[in-house]
């Protein structure tokens, strides 16, 4: 019984020390790269955050509104074989007068000719 305890103790101490070449290589690599967090911290602070701020400024502060084209009544677009079951039957479910034209043109006061 004592020999089993000695073998178990020997195995536990052998596994705890980096005698294995793989464990030794991992320990060496960890020691060599332990300061890399400082580099990535500086990259985040001085690189990523300013880039995100620049993209936010360009996307939201300097944003331009899209310019809509004049209405052209193409025959293959906006075909209505039967009316929609809501509203006046002409507008789609997610229709907005500012962005969507009806089959016969823009709603009065909206579209590219309207001055916003």
């Amino acid at each position: 019984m004592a020999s089993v305890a000695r073998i178990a103790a020997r195995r536990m101490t052998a596994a705890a020390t980096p005698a294995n070449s793989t464990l030794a290589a991992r320990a060496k690599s960890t020691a060599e790269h332990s300061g890399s967090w400082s580099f990535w911290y500086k990259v985040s602070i001085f690189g990523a955050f300013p880039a995100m701020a620049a993209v936010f400024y360009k996307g939201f502060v300097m944003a331009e509104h899209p310019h809509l084209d004049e209405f052209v009544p193409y025959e293959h677009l906006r075909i209505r074989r039967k009316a929609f079951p809501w509203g006046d039957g002409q507008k789609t479910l997610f229709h907005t007068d500012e962005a969507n034209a009806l089959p016969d043109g823009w709603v009065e006061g909206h579209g590219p000719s309207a001055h916003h």
Side-chain angles (χ1 to χ4, degrees):
M1 193 64 145
S3 64
V4 172
R6 254 184 287 140
I7 293 172
R10 195 176 313 140
R11 285 188 181 177
M12 289 167 58
T13 57
T17 59
N20 189 346
S21 63
T22 305
L23 292 176
R26 284 186 187 171
K28 182 180 175 185
S29 176
T30 302
E32 290 173 355
H33 300 292
S34 63
S36 66
W37 71 270
S38 174
F39 169 75
W40 289 110
Y41 177 79
K42 290 175 186 172
V43 167
S44 297
I45 296 297
F46 299 114
F49 290 140
M52 289 181 351
V55 168
F56 173 82
Y57 180 76
K58 173 70 172 124
F60 295 105
V61 177
M62 293 178 46
E64 296 180 7
H65 297 288
H67 300 285
L68 301 174
D69 297 330
E70 290 292 329
F71 181 76
V72 178
Y74 292 113
E75 294 178 12
H76 65 281
L77 296 177
R78 298 175 193 89
I79 298 172
R80 306 278 196 269
R81 299 202 191 280
K82 65 179 192 173
F84 290 114
W86 52 81
D88 61 359
Q90 286 293 318
K91 296 179 181 177
T92 61
L93 185 60
F94 300 106
H95 180 87
T96 58
D97 292 335
E98 295 83 18
N100 305 109
L102 294 172
D104 55 347
W106 293 97
V107 176
E108 189 65 35
H110 297 285
S113 61
H115 300 286
H116 295 279

